[in-house]
Amino acid sequence: MDEVKVVVAHSERATLRVGDVFLKVDADQARIDVEVDAMALAPVPTPEVLWRRPPVLAIAAVPGTALGRLGEPSTASPAAWAAAGAAIRKLHDAPLPPWTGRRRRNPDELAAELDGECELLVTNGVLPADLVTRNRQVAEAALRSWTPAFTHGDLQIDHVFVDGDEVTGIIDWSEAGRGDALFDLATLTLGHEECLGDVIAGYGTDVELDVIRAWWSLRSLLGVRWLVEHGFDAFAPGCEVDVLRSRM
């Protein structure tokens, strides 16, 4: 029998791997609905859905290896990063999905959430005030209107798989929907700023780099406390807190 490996587990969901099958357990069936629908619509390589029996979704492993890991140097080639950029552009150019997506909100709502989170980070002593204040200033550039695109919504570096210089699969689509294309690009390159140029070369169009940097700060500010509370180490080298420090 294949070994059961816990890929990720916290109070909201868990993912297990058994051989070449991933079992995603999620009490929120709306997330699973989005994941299945998004993979069916996305014009990029996605995992095969094997079966679904709520609250479990079984999907096949995609070939290749992850583009990298947050906090670790990426061993992928510049061409692989460019291929990821090209795949993302193909997704962003696709027809919009019929749902809005969980992460999508107007700039005023996002600013209010960010300000509240910044206050908690300082009040609870999670991060020093000067670090929070500086990154709140940087994040301001992301608080603007954008033209909605078909976005992945959680395009972390380890959600993109490559084999050599080819993208073989993009996984974890539960946050997909209509959103800001630059948020996807920022999420992919979070902690790997040195690879941004390769991604943009593959993406094939000029983008607002200050907005991508703003999303790095914004995503990190919103994520640090959640990560700490759910047992993840946002303070590990190269991770979210280091991303915030790099803006000082």
Side-chain angles (χ1 to χ4, degrees), residues 19 24 33 67 88 99 121 127 130-131 160 172 174 184 248:
K24 306 190 76 169
D33 290 342
L67 193 60
I88 298 167
W99 64 91
L121 288 170
L127 294 174
D130 61 339
L131 185 63
V160 179
D172 286 359
S174 62
D184 271 355
M248 298 297 286

Side-chain angles (χ1 to χ4, degrees), residues 65-205:
T65 57
L67 193 60
R69 305 284 179 189
L70 183 61
E72 301 176 8
S74 172
T75 59
S77 68
W81 280 92
I88 298 167
R89 177 64 184 275
K90 190 173 182 180
L91 174 66
H92 292 168
D93 285 345
L96 293 174
W99 64 91
T100 58
R102 293 171 174 270
R103 294 184 185 270
R104 268 37 67 191
R105 67 202 85 177
N106 68 52
D108 291 339
E109 291 174 330
L110 188 56
E113 179 184 359
L114 179 60
D115 289 339
E117 189 63 30
C118 287
E119 182 177 354
L120 288 171
L121 288 170
V122 175
T123 301
N124 295 340
V126 180
L127 294 174
D130 61 339
L131 185 63
V132 172
T133 298
R134 170 57 183 156
N135 278 276
R136 175 60 183 85
Q137 293 169 346
V138 173
E140 186 68 27
L143 302 174
R144 86 280 182 239
S145 298
W146 57 77
T147 301
F150 188 165
T151 56
H152 180 280
D154 191 24
L155 198 63
Q156 299 177 51
I157 184 176
D158 55 356
H159 290 170
V160 179
F161 281 70
V162 296
D163 184 1
D165 300 335
E166 178 184 356
V167 174
T168 55
I170 299 177
I171 65 171
D172 286 359
W173 290 82
S174 62
E175 304 294 337
R178 304 179 186 187
D180 181 4
L182 298 189
F183 177 75
D184 271 355
L185 295 175
T187 302
L188 179 68
T189 55
L190 183 77
H192 288 83
E193 186 171 358
E194 73 283 359
C195 299
L196 178 59
D198 296 322
V199 171
I200 300 306
Y203 195 71
T205 187

